[in-house]
Amino acid sequence: MPLGDSSRRMHVAFIAVAIALSLCAGRLLQLQGFDSATYSAIAAKQLTQTLPLLPARGEITDRNGVVLASTEAAVAITADPTLTTPNADKIADIMSKYVTIDRPAVLAALTRPKTQFAYVQKKVPALVYSKIAADLAAADIPGIYRLSDPIRTYPNGSVGASVVGFVGADGKGLGGFEWSMNKELAGVEGTETYEAAPNGGKIPLGDSKTTPVQNGLNYSLTLDSELQWVAEKALAARVRATGAHHGMAIVLNIKTGEVLAMANAPTYDSADPAAADADNRGNRAVSAPYEPGSVEKVLTAAAVMDSGATVGGQPITPDTQVTIPPLLKSGPLSIKDAFKHQELHYLLRGVIADSSNIGAALFARQMPKAELRSYLSKFGLGRPTGVELPGEAAGILPDPDMPDYTRDQIAFGQGLAVTAIQEASAIAGIVNGGLYHAPTVIKSATDGDGNPVALPARPSRQIVSTDTSAKVRDLMQAVTDSHNGRQNLQIDGWNSGGKTGTAQLANAKCKCYKGYVTSYIAVAPMDDPQLLTYVVVSDAKRGGSSGTAIAAPVVKSIMQYALPRYSIPQTTTKHKVKPIEWGPMSQRRYR
């Protein structure tokens, strides 16, 4: 067959090419002219990467700079499975040389289908990752990357754990100070936005924008880690020895409200909180209300004397006389003392020294119920103190129109509930010339650059007069001057005052009282109180049922260490022991 006309063939070819070029030109016109904004947005989105910049979590130290919580540089190892799948076994072999891995999980991450991102291993120390990366580079294995994934460390373990707290796997605070101040410790995340190549790498000369991070605040706590260790050890030993359910110990700087130690037993290790029972991962000193028992008599006496209440037309003082019957009718029941006696003739000083429930109730009856409650509220009961720790309980303070028998109970420490930090702070304020300082665990704070950060104001308040404060110190001195005090409560070398407490323990299961809460509070030196230690032990099974037997040994042990540590001079002058009774000698039994 003859071939076609060559010129015609060329015309057909040219027409086809022209049509193709016209289509391309039309598409180009559409993209660049009509749809240019959409096209540019898609291209920009495909070529732009935004990565988070993680701030450094703030450090927590004690008052002397001892590190309680810090952050160690670490990374999360990530992979692009489209690149790592062929070398998954080799990568796992290299990683296992430096870290403990779950090999099946690692292999599953390295070979995950239909994705270009997978987490392989978290919380790998930065130095360890650098060794893994070096081996991977030497073996020419691509596809392994890293993201910042810092590790929170607690060098002192359980020391101060109930105050310091702990963080979760995501680095966020879950307990203690780490929780209550999580926002301030965590800082503010930044971002980096940059032009990226198709493989995800940063284009060196491309556009980039960085929003800087704000590192978390660093906090210096008021805790003294060495004193904290002493308090924890002494308390834990006592809880074990007595078979108690738990115990709490607080040491306060009376002049500032600073918490120098706050111990709980049982406690936990901040580095391994999951190893402890959930009930022991909190801080009972701020979160577990209890009936305080006879320690509350200090508050009752302070309120009665400061209010101007009278007996026989005369203001009540430590020398005010009262006759104590064997029993005191109160509502449907009768109040009795812990020791059996006939009629006694006490001064208010003796009511406190020998811990007479009847005497405390008789004095409380000399002021209106609403006024008594007002004083207890002024002392900080019935509401959180505001200490910078989570889960603080308000306690229970009856209404001003409480029944008469409730007023009687409150006088000697039942019928209301307090927390250890409330009770300790109240008595610290009363003996401190009547000036109450809200308790605090924060000494100072700095930002990520080391600049001081202003702390919220914590105004002090006058809760009783300086005269009442001196009279209360007189009463607490009488406790350690008593027969029981000389034998069991005095602190060698320092003149101290105190008050024991024993209260029946409310049991929610049986809706009855079962067991005891025992306590002792001590302040020293009495001429100018500087330190206060308060120990509460709940439901001791052996060793006695009084504050003297159970709690006082721990207080004495802590104070014998704390007083010289803070260079508080020993007492060199003897004080005059004041009388606690009036009239003919009464039958004497000491608690």
Side-chain angles (χ1 to χ4, degrees):
M1 295 179 62
L3 295 174
D5 189 336
S6 60
S7 62
R8 183 175 294 178
R9 290 201 307 271
M10 289 184 65
H11 277 96
V12 172
F14 281 135
I15 291 171
V17 171
I19 292 172
L21 290 174
S22 297
L23 291 173
C24 291
R27 179 59 176 163
L28 185 60
L29 176 63
Q30 180 189 16
L31 293 174
Q32 294 187 340
F34 301 109
D35 297 336
S36 59
T38 302
Y39 175 75
S40 299
I42 294 172
K45 185 176 181 180
Q46 291 176 337
L47 297 176
T48 300
Q49 293 279 0
T50 299
L51 295 179
L53 300 176
L54 301 181
R57 190 173 180 84
E59 187 175 70
I60 303 173
T61 66
D62 83 340
R63 64 186 303 109
N64 299 312
V66 176
V67 176
L68 300 175
S70 63
T71 300
E72 177 185 343
V75 301
I77 298 177
T78 66
D80 178 350
T82 63
L83 300 176
T84 57
T85 296
N87 299 302
D89 282 312
K90 293 180 181 179
I91 295 171
D93 289 341
I94 290 173
M95 288 180 59
S96 64
K97 290 166 54 179
Y98 302 102
V99 294
T100 301
I101 67 171
D102 180 344
R103 192 178 184 90
V106 166
L107 291 175
L110 293 170
T111 59
R112 187 166 298 158
K114 299 179 182 180
T115 184
Q116 290 182 292
F117 179 88
Y119 278 105
V120 180
Q121 187 93 351
K122 295 184 177 182
K123 304 294 182 186
V124 177
L127 291 176
V128 173
Y129 174 78
S130 65
K131 296 176 182 179
I132 294 172
D135 283 7
L136 292 171
D140 195 24
I141 297 176
I144 292 295
Y145 309 101
R146 65 178 181 179
L147 292 175
S148 178
D149 190 23
I151 298 172
R152 196 65 165 168
T153 62
Y154 300 92
N156 284 276
S158 64
V159 177
S162 57
V163 175
V164 175
F166 57 95
V167 299
D170 59 359
K172 295 180 181 179
L174 292 181
F177 194 77
E178 292 272 33
W179 183 12
S180 60
M181 304 301 290
N182 180 70
K183 181 179 178 181
E184 292 80 0
L185 287 163
V188 180
E189 189 176 285
T191 58
E192 181 183 15
T193 302
Y194 58 87
E195 287 187 301
N199 65 357
K202 185 176 180 180
I203 298 175
L205 299 180
D207 290 337
S208 64
K209 180 182 178 181
T210 300
T211 301
V213 301
Q214 296 179 30
N215 289 329
L217 300 185
N218 302 304
Y219 284 96
S220 172
L221 301 187
T222 59
L223 294 186
D224 176 344
S225 58
E226 292 191 27
L227 177 58
Q228 178 75 25
W229 183 86
V230 168
E232 288 182 4
K233 294 300 179 183
L235 180 65
R238 197 66 184 151
V239 167
R240 287 194 301 269
T242 61
H245 183 268
H246 66 268
M248 304 168 275
I250 295 174
V251 183
L252 286 181
N253 180 330
I254 291 174
K255 300 300 184 184
T256 64
E258 292 179 331
V259 177
L260 302 178
M262 182 180 281
N264 285 265
T267 186
Y268 65 94
D269 186 337
S270 290
D272 188 18
D277 291 341
D279 289 345
N280 298 328
R281 291 200 293 266
N283 187 341
R284 290 185 173 97
V286 301
S287 65
Y290 58 95
E291 294 186 61
S294 292
V295 171
E296 185 70 14
K297 291 171 184 170
V298 175
L299 279 66
T300 301
V304 168
M305 291 189 294
D306 197 70
S307 71
T310 62
V311 171
Q314 297 296 315
I316 295 173
T317 72
D319 291 303
T320 297
Q321 299 175 357
V322 63
T323 298
I324 310 294
L327 293 174
L328 179 66
K329 186 68 174 176
S330 178
L333 302 174
S334 294
I335 300 171
K336 62 181 181 180
D337 287 325
F339 54 98
K340 292 182 179 180
H341 60 78
Q342 299 301 312
E343 185 175 279
L344 298 175
H345 298 90
Y346 274 145
L347 305 175
L348 174 56
R349 189 180 296 113
V351 169
I352 302 301
D354 280 0
S355 203
S356 170
N357 297 337
I358 296 172
L362 288 172
F363 275 108
R365 290 178 178 183
Q366 306 312 305
M367 65 186 300
K369 292 179 290 186
E371 189 175 18
L372 174 61
R373 191 206 187 270
S374 177
Y375 264 97
L376 297 181
S377 177
K378 187 192 300 186
F379 296 159
L381 274 55
R383 54 197 167 101
T385 65
V387 68
E388 306 89 348
L389 294 170
E392 186 180 8
I396 300 172
L397 191 57
D399 293 333
D401 60 350
M402 67 187 85
D404 288 349
Y405 64 82
T406 299
R407 183 263 323 277
D408 291 345
Q409 291 175 328
I410 285 176
F412 55 87
Q414 297 211 202
L416 80 169
V418 303
T419 63
I421 192 63
Q422 282 178 334
E423 196 81 346
S425 299
I427 293 179
I430 290 170
V431 302
N432 184 39
L435 186 61
Y436 178 96
H437 296 291
T440 180
V441 296
I442 301 178
K443 185 172 179 61
S444 63
T446 58
D447 63 21
D449 297 321
N451 302 310
V453 174
L455 299 174
R458 301 181 68 82
S460 302
R461 63 178 187 269
Q462 198 74 27
I463 55 175
V464 295
S465 69
T466 55
D467 180 60
T468 299
S469 177
K471 291 173 180 176
V472 171
R473 294 197 299 272
D474 178 318
L475 300 179
M476 295 182 74
Q477 177 76 73
V479 173
T480 52
D481 283 345
S482 69
H483 178 71
N484 175 50
R486 291 193 303 272
Q487 286 188 322
N488 302 299
L489 304 177
Q490 291 183 350
I491 299 170
D492 295 340
W494 286 268
N495 184 20
S496 65
K499 186 68 194 81
T500 57
T502 301
Q504 292 176 299
L505 179 62
N507 187 298
K509 291 182 179 180
C510 67
K511 296 181 180 181
C512 62
Y513 284 110
K514 187 176 182 181
Y516 296 93
V517 176
T518 56
S519 57
Y520 181 58
I521 195 163
V523 298
M526 288 311 290
D527 58 341
D528 183 21
Q530 302 288 321
L531 297 182
L532 174 150
T533 297
Y534 183 37
V535 169
V536 181
V537 179
S538 181
D539 199 19
K541 299 295 193 301
R542 50 186 177 270
S545 59
S546 70
T548 296
I550 302 298
V554 184
V555 173
K556 291 177 62 177
S557 177
I558 293 171
M559 288 291 263
Q560 292 284 178
Y561 177 84
L563 289 164
R565 178 169 176 78
Y566 284 86
S567 302
I568 297 173
Q570 291 192 350
T571 304
T572 56
T573 58
K574 288 188 177 181
H575 65 279
K576 182 180 178 180
V577 177
K578 297 180 180 181
I580 65 173
E581 292 181 311
W582 65 276
M585 287 295 294
S586 302
Q587 179 183 351
R588 299 292 302 279
R589 300 286 177 88
Y590 294 92
R591 190 177 181 187

